[in-house]
Amino acid sequence: MSKQPDFDAVVIGAGITGMYQLYKLREQGFKVKGIEGAPDVGGAWFWNRYPGCRVDSESHTYSYFWSDELKQKFNWTERFAGQPEVLTYLQTAADLMDIRKDYIFNQRVKTARWDDENKYWVIQLEEGGSTPITSRFFFSAMGPLSAPQMPNVPGVYTFEGDWWHTGRWPRDPDSNHGAKIDFTGKRVAVVGTGASGVQVIQEMSKVAKELFVFQRSPNWTNPLGNAPVSQEEMDEIKRNYNKLNEFCDTTLSGFPHKWIDRDTLDVPEEERDATFEDLYKGPGFRLWLGNYHDYLENPEANKVVTEFVARKIRERVKDPVTAEKLTPRDHGYGTRRVPMDTKYYECYNQDNVHLVDLRETPMEQVEATGIRTSDGKLYEVDVIVYATGFYAIRGSLSRIEIYGKDGRSLNQVWRDEGVKTYLGLMVDGFPNFFTLVGPQNGTVFCNIPRCSATAIDWNEGLMQNVFDMNIKTIEADPTAQNEWNHLCEEKLAKGLLGKTDSWFTGVNKNVAGAQKREVLFYAGGIPEFKELCVDIQNDNWRGFLFDGAPAAKLTEPA
Ligand code: NAP
């Protein structure tokens, strides 16, 4: 006689995705429990409290579209909200869902082991000695950018001044802000020039006595176009949420920007430049995701856009040598996630800001008083900010050992066989385990709150069948998994993103075994992904095995 688990479903993570998934399951009648490492909800927005942190999707699109109440209740004050406001939004959402009561906070999952006899997961938390939790279903909602990664440089822990990683910034205990740290008059080093680096550099340049930017690879950035949102504008947004939702549902990544339906090289140069000028001003990702439709596939078209943005850098940075150092030469515009800036390049026109080009003089080591480069120079500083990013997409999963049916861990399986999933949601051999916004999912290259909700709304149908028919196990069919893997490869191979080293393609020079590109997201875009999911549902949840067999007559078509 098999034992009954403590819970029907356990969800790891109380960020945007985890909270909604837990809420949905609870509303469906499952007995649920959430586990969260932080003391409260918010996920990435709880931890990333560095100066300058703000969202680069239009605030009102970066939201839970499923909740009319929340949409009408919450007033965004900026077009691109700062981190404290996004966190306030998520706390408001948590109140509305009354979700905190279902979570264990300040706890991390250490291991999870499938018990095939009892058909449930045995989940061990990090706090040693605690009794494991058992659950029939197990959802990971840890976010694609939640495993902060320090640089693999000797001595990083020997620095005697203050240092922080942007992804684990200290908190102000009394507010949603970061800790009140006065950088005025300080010598500050920032390592890294991705989206976090760009934001923190802009802020530090205003107050630091000396700011040393340690740049290994420059990124393309363009103006964010932030502005306050008046009450009248907010009222207008509220009136138009439904229209906006419908529109965003038709765009590649759920953002309010749509391709221009013309081939870049067919457009006369003068007209093209005028378009780029307009898009460059923003707001948001217009230049990146609202450009001519072929420029992220056709290298010649990409060259044209890239040259335009390079020209902009030369216009904005007074010193031509510095401008050249800030110009990427190893990838074209838009082929990596584009950081958005607010007077970023202009910082380098200030006397207190110094660019250290690590391609010329690599970082050799961190010492007690600063950072030493390969030319023997020691940059003495009071503070080091590591804006060195995350072990993205699979990093948070890699930090837990999850043992499947044959006793092998997910880390081992993916090490041996490469990352393979079905729909980016399940992995063959790991029954009842769901990876939300996981590797190879359609929601990874997307506006996360919108797209993860799309995926969760779809899971609802799957889980409803499980609930109604008292199903004990769901698994990915290995053939369907292989087919999905090939489709992901095909889609990624079509565009230039797949041909570029970045966190999208799993390359992280600080992580052993993450030096080669992998297929880590479904690049077909969210409308296509949704269509595929509906088709699978209408085909009796093709590719899933229910209690070991394909669904014969499970569902009503969607
Ligand atoms: P990131 O884009 O991965 O950038 C990390 C930076 O650190 C890169 O410039 C990298 O250089 C550098 N770096 C890493 N290891 C280094 C080392 N050992 N020595 C020197 N430099 C090193 O990380 P991120 O800036 O945190 O951004 C990650 C993602 O988070 C973004 O793409 C975005 O999706 C999200 N994000 C969003 C927002 C927003 O909404 N506004 C803000 C921040 C972040 P290499 O390129 O040479 O490795």
Side-chain angles (χ1 to χ4, degrees):
M1 171 90 170
S2 60
K3 287 192 234 161
Q4 286 306 304
D6 303 325
F7 297 99
D8 297 320
V10 160
V11 176
I12 326 179
I16 289 165
T17 306
M19 283 200 286
Y20 183 43
Q21 180 64 78
L22 195 73
Y23 170 70
K24 271 269 161 155
L25 289 164
R26 189 187 72 196
E27 296 305 295
Q28 281 182 278
F30 291 97
K31 187 179 172 197
V32 293
K33 186 55 75 189
I35 299 160
E36 165 59 52
D40 197 15
V41 300
W45 298 101
F46 179 90
W47 294 111
N48 287 262
R49 298 183 188 221
Y50 57 86
C53 182
R54 69 174 58 252
V55 68
D56 53 16
S57 307
E58 282 74 356
S59 317
H60 61 283
T61 69
Y62 194 82
S63 64
Y64 282 138
F65 270 76
W66 53 267
S67 171
D68 286 336
E69 190 178 347
L70 191 56
K71 280 189 302 214
Q72 294 309 318
K73 183 173 181 175
F74 200 84
N75 293 312
W76 295 100
T77 63
E78 286 181 277
R79 199 185 267 167
F80 299 92
Q83 167 273 328
E85 187 166 333
V86 181
L87 186 54
T88 303
Y89 174 82
L90 293 175
Q91 290 162 341
T92 311
D95 291 343
L96 219 116
M97 292 183 270
D98 191 16
I99 207 72
R100 288 185 179 86
K101 66 178 165 51
D102 297 313
Y103 271 98
I104 303 172
F105 288 102
N106 292 308
Q107 271 284 12
R108 288 178 185 280
V109 173
K110 188 172 160 194
T111 60
R113 193 178 289 278
W114 175 249
D115 178 334
D116 203 41
E117 193 184 326
N118 293 305
K119 309 284 183 223
Y120 59 49
W121 284 95
V122 181
I123 299 160
Q124 180 67 54
L125 304 183
E126 269 185 358
E127 287 303 303
S130 67
T131 317
I133 295 172
T134 57
S135 176
R136 182 79 69 213
F137 299 97
F138 181 36
F139 291 77
S140 128
M142 293 184 282
L145 296 160
S146 54
Q149 184 62 51
M150 290 292 283
N152 59 349
V153 175
V156 284
Y157 301 106
T158 63
F159 181 63
E160 287 175 359
D162 287 327
W163 63 268
W164 300 283
H165 188 285
T166 48
R168 283 290 179 276
W169 201 260
R171 286 182 292 140
D172 172 15
D174 303 319
S175 75
N176 282 345
H177 290 256
K180 294 184 184 79
I181 305 165
D182 188 5
F183 294 98
T184 316
K186 296 256 166 77
R187 296 165 305 168
V188 178
V190 175
V191 182
T193 49
S196 307
V198 164
Q199 289 183 335
V200 84
I201 289 162
Q202 291 165 173
E203 289 309 304
M204 291 293 178
S205 72
K206 294 176 192 163
V207 288
K209 183 169 149 215
E210 304 291 341
L211 173 62
F212 297 94
V213 177
F214 289 81
Q215 173 190 268
R216 188 165 63 186
S217 316
N219 277 299
W220 301 104
T221 99
N222 53 272
L224 177 65
N226 193 21
V229 175
S230 68
Q231 192 54 54
E232 292 72 42
E233 282 169 305
M234 196 60 229
D235 291 342
E236 182 67 10
I237 287 169
K238 285 181 183 179
R239 276 193 292 276
N240 286 303
Y241 262 128
N242 288 348
K243 239 197 252 166
L244 176 72
N245 191 26
E246 278 166 26
F247 176 71
C248 290
D249 271 353
T250 66
T251 68
L252 178 80
S253 303
F255 296 107
H257 311 293
K258 209 160 183 173
W259 298 129
I260 302 169
D261 199 14
R262 290 174 79 184
D263 288 357
T264 313
L265 302 177
D266 286 353
V267 182
E269 193 176 333
E270 211 174 305
E271 184 186 339
R272 216 163 50 197
D273 274 358
T275 303
F276 294 156
E277 282 290 350
D278 175 46
L279 297 177
Y280 187 80
K281 289 190 218 113
F285 291 140
R286 284 180 77 217
L287 186 72
W288 188 28
L289 300 174
N291 212 316
Y292 297 110
H293 74 116
D294 61 339
Y295 94 101
L296 288 180
E297 289 185 358
N298 175 353
E300 291 309 310
N302 187 267
K303 230 186 245 174
V304 172
V305 184
T306 299
E307 188 38 54
F308 170 83
V309 190
R311 205 162 68 222
K312 285 287 168 195
I313 299 175
R314 293 194 291 273
E315 281 170 23
R316 292 174 63 184
V317 179
K318 283 188 194 149
D319 172 29
V321 176
T322 308
E324 176 55 30
K325 288 181 180 176
L326 288 164
T327 305
R329 296 292 174 204
D330 59 348
H331 67 283
Y333 177 80
T335 61
R336 286 172 155 202
R337 171 71 151 69
V338 177
M340 302 302 296
D341 82 82
T342 307
K343 299 201 179 351
Y344 171 65
Y345 290 119
E346 286 74 7
C347 295
Y348 295 95
N349 297 331
Q350 295 177 201
D351 292 340
N352 66 329
V353 180
H354 317 282
L355 183 64
V356 182
D357 188 342
L358 298 178
R359 289 168 307 179
E360 286 175 0
T361 52
M363 207 155 99
E364 200 145 274
Q365 63 181 27
V366 180
E367 300 183 6
T369 57
I371 297 176
R372 193 177 292 280
T373 46
S374 63
D375 54 353
K377 189 164 178 187
L378 176 66
Y379 293 86
E380 293 201 322
V381 290
D382 305 304
V383 177
I384 302 178
V385 176
Y386 292 104
T388 47
F390 303 86
Y391 181 18
I393 307 179
R394 53 182 294 198
S396 45
L397 278 170
S398 79
R399 292 175 187 184
I400 302 176
E401 287 299 354
I402 300 168
Y403 299 97
K405 240 168 44 169
D406 69 0
R408 277 196 308 162
S409 74
L410 186 63
N411 287 327
Q412 190 63 51
V413 172
W414 282 353
R415 252 195 311 272
D416 294 348
E417 297 164 24
V419 173
K420 282 190 187 146
T421 72
Y422 182 46
L423 291 177
L425 185 66
M426 296 205 86
V427 182
D428 170 35
F430 294 78
N432 294 2
F433 174 54
F434 301 92
T435 52
L436 302 172
V437 196
Q440 300 189 341
N441 196 263
T443 58
V444 175
F445 181 45
C446 216
N447 175 323
I448 299 276
R450 290 184 49 78
C451 297
S452 76
T454 299
I456 291 165
D457 289 342
W458 184 76
N459 294 345
E460 184 183 12
L462 191 65
M463 296 309 289
Q464 196 59 47
N465 282 303
V466 165
F467 191 82
D468 295 344
M469 303 187 66
N470 197 22
I471 284 162
K472 295 281 182 296
T473 64
I474 314 182
E475 285 177 85
D477 176 89
T479 310
Q481 174 164 296
N482 278 336
E483 283 169 10
W484 181 252
N485 197 49
H486 288 142
L487 185 65
C488 287
E489 278 172 0
E490 229 173 73
K491 294 282 170 188
L492 196 61
K494 270 182 73 184
L496 300 175
L497 268 78
K499 298 179 177 68
T500 308
D501 288 356
S502 78
W503 68 256
F504 278 141
T505 48
V507 177
N508 192 316
K509 294 174 193 145
N510 297 311
V511 178
Q515 318 293 317
K516 279 203 203 129
R517 285 179 217 148
E518 289 182 292
V519 180
L520 289 188
F521 70 101
Y522 174 78
I526 202 72
E528 204 179 283
F529 181 69
K530 269 173 88 167
E531 233 173 76
L532 267 162
C533 288
V534 170
D535 182 54
I536 286 166
Q537 178 172 357
N538 288 345
D539 194 14
N540 258 337
W541 304 101
R542 183 177 70 240
F544 292 100
L545 303 175
F546 297 85
D547 286 336
K553 45 185 179 324
L554 273 176
T555 67
E556 292 300 316

